[in-house]
């Protein structure tokens, strides 16, 4: 798979450790910039920096359309935390963003639900 980083940098990803190393730089990426992991031309996961959070969209194998992932906090009310009104549902932390990128790389089901899921 190929990891596309800001500034046109392209990294060939061959292992989970390699991916985790490259994703360790997420904290240094500026607002509005994006990181994308591509598995061929049709399947990818993309994260765009939105202030302190990430907007993550994915199209793993088996999905017909690219879907925006959500925090899932609204699904499990017992773990729901109050968020400032300016943080949109669907914005993920760096830790959750790293986790779904690794899940995508490993071909696993993504742990974050898609926006609009019940």
């Amino acid at each position: 798979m190929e990891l596309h980083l800001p500034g046109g940098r392209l990294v060939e990803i061959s292992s989970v450790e390699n991916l985790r190393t490259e994703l360790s730089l997420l904290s240094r990426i500026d607002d509005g910039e994006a990181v994308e992991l591509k598995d061929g031309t049709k399947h990818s996961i993309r994260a765009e920096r939105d202030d302190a959070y990430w907007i993550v969209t994915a199209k793993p194998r088996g999905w017909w359309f690219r879907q925006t992932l959500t925090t899932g906090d609204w699904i499990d009310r017992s773990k729901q935390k109050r968020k400032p009104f300016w943080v949109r549902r669907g914005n993920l932390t760096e830790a959750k963003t790293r986790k779904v990128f690794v899940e995508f790389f490993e071909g696993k089901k993504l742990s974050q639900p898609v926006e609009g899921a019940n």
Side-chain angles (χ1 to χ4, degrees):
M1 290 189 200
E2 294 178 343
L3 184 64
H4 296 254
L5 299 166
R9 188 168 160 235
L10 179 68
V11 179
E12 190 66 34
I13 302 297
S14 57
S15 68
V16 172
E17 293 78 26
N18 181 225
L19 178 60
R20 285 189 176 124
T21 300
E22 293 298 329
L23 291 178
S24 67
L25 63 86
L26 286 181
S27 60
R28 296 185 303 229
I29 293 178
D30 294 328
D31 192 25
E33 292 186 323
V35 174
E36 187 169 18
L37 180 62
K38 292 186 175 185
D39 182 14
T41 58
K42 295 182 180 179
H43 306 285
S44 67
I45 186 165
R46 184 176 196 277
E48 182 180 342
R49 171 71 82 178
D50 182 23
D51 199 13
Y53 295 93
W54 292 89
I55 298 172
V56 179
T57 56
K59 187 178 185 268
R61 294 191 181 282
W63 287 19
W64 287 92
F65 302 102
R66 182 171 289 277
Q67 297 285 328
T68 301
L69 304 184
T70 182
T71 60
D73 293 342
W74 59 283
I75 293 172
D76 185 354
R77 298 265 184 220
S78 67
K79 295 180 183 175
Q80 187 174 16
K81 296 176 185 171
R82 293 182 62 91
K83 294 183 179 179
F85 69 90
W86 60 85
V87 177
R88 297 192 326 234
R89 187 179 75 207
N91 287 3
L92 304 180
T93 63
E94 285 180 22
K96 287 183 178 181
T97 300
R98 282 190 201 99
K99 183 176 180 181
V100 293
F101 267 66
V102 170
E103 291 167 345
F104 178 87
F105 180 80
E106 293 177 331
K108 293 180 178 177
K109 181 180 177 187
L110 301 181
S111 59
Q112 298 301 128
V114 298
E115 199 165 273
N118 293 341

